[in-house]
Amino acid sequence: MRHRNAHRKLSRNTSHRRALLRNLVTDFLDHGRLMTTLPKAKEIRPLAEKMITLGKRDNLHARRQLQAFLLREAVAKKVFDTIAPRFADRNGGYSRIIKLGNRKGDGADLAIIELLGSELEVKKAERAEKDKEKQTKQAGKEKKEEKEEKEEKEEKEE
């Protein structure tokens, strides 16, 4: 029986597991989304949400606790400056886990964990790329039309 055994061990000893989770939470908060295995995603979710809640408190003790857990100061600053204010009116549930299926090599269950609202950033990036492609196509068409007009004028002059 697993009474009072709350978390997954992830086939690692304590120090390795703690380092892994710190790395994953730091990268997750830095990028806003992360693709990993389902058990790891389920383990980092409560830790990441605690970090965001600390960011919402925004006092010296919360800053020190956050910097003690996260591996990069820039990510801690990002939590206080951008992520925590984004979820100021929300009482938890800052992330979602999307199951992807099995990994080809070993059959592990894959998942994406992402902050709510990060899909908007992805869509904005995709739209920006599409707009750039459209602009380059339009510029190419305009240049082609100008060349054709010049050739027609030259032919008429001859």
Side-chain angles (χ1 to χ4, degrees), residues 83-136:
I83 297 174
R86 194 166 92 191
F87 297 114
D89 58 339
R90 197 175 181 95
N91 292 328
Y94 312 120
S95 61
R96 77 166 57 94
I97 295 175
I98 303 168
K99 296 178 185 177
L100 293 179
N102 297 335
R103 188 160 49 200
K104 188 174 183 180
D106 61 355
D109 291 332
L110 289 179
I112 291 179
I113 181 169
E114 64 183 6
L115 289 173
L116 296 179
S118 64
E119 67 276 355
L120 299 175
E121 296 170 5
V122 172
K123 288 181 182 178
K124 287 179 184 178
E126 290 174 358
R127 286 182 188 160
E129 290 177 15
K130 288 181 182 178
D131 289 341
K132 285 182 181 179
E133 291 175 7
K134 286 182 183 178
Q135 290 175 355
T136 55

Side-chain angles (χ1 to χ4, degrees), residues 1-6:
M1 288 181 272
R2 284 186 47 88
H3 294 304
R4 298 175 63 113
N5 295 328

Side-chain angles (χ1 to χ4, degrees), residues 2-156:
R2 284 186 47 88
H3 294 304
R4 298 175 63 113
N5 295 328
H7 300 285
R8 295 165 184 84
K9 292 189 176 183
L10 302 173
S11 300
R12 289 162 172 84
N13 63 29
T14 307
S15 60
H16 187 188
R17 184 170 55 249
R18 178 172 161 78
L20 170 79
L21 294 174
R22 287 178 68 192
N23 277 317
L24 287 172
V25 170
T26 302
D27 287 341
F28 170 57
L29 292 175
D30 191 18
H31 299 294
R33 64 186 337 200
L34 189 68
M35 189 171 92
T36 183
T37 62
L38 185 61
K40 288 178 189 173
K42 287 181 176 180
E43 279 301 303
I44 66 171
R45 183 181 203 171
L47 296 171
E49 294 195 0
K50 285 176 189 170
M51 297 301 118
I52 294 171
T53 303
L54 283 174
K56 287 167 61 174
R57 279 203 336 229
D58 198 13
N59 56 23
L60 182 61
H61 185 56
R63 285 184 182 271
R64 287 182 175 166
Q65 284 179 312
L66 196 70
Q67 288 175 351
F69 187 80
L70 298 179
L71 299 175
R72 295 191 297 270
E73 279 189 35
V75 178
K77 186 170 174 31
K78 181 179 179 180
V79 169
F80 283 106
D81 294 343
T82 60
I83 297 174
R86 194 166 92 191
F87 297 114
D89 58 339
R90 197 175 181 95
N91 292 328
Y94 312 120
S95 61
R96 77 166 57 94
I97 295 175
I98 303 168
K99 296 178 185 177
L100 293 179
N102 297 335
R103 188 160 49 200
K104 188 174 183 180
D106 61 355
D109 291 332
L110 289 179
I112 291 179
I113 181 169
E114 64 183 6
L115 289 173
L116 296 179
S118 64
E119 67 276 355
L120 299 175
E121 296 170 5
V122 172
K123 288 181 182 178
K124 287 179 184 178
E126 290 174 358
R127 286 182 188 160
E129 290 177 15
K130 288 181 182 178
D131 289 341
K132 285 182 181 179
E133 291 175 7
K134 286 182 183 178
Q135 290 175 355
T136 55
K137 286 181 182 178
Q138 287 178 349
K141 287 181 182 178
E142 291 173 0
K143 288 181 182 178
K144 191 175 184 180
E145 290 174 359
E146 290 175 6
K147 286 182 183 179
E148 290 175 358
E149 290 175 5
K150 287 181 182 179
E151 291 174 1
E152 289 177 7
K153 287 182 183 178
E154 290 174 2
E155 290 177 4
K156 287 181 181 178

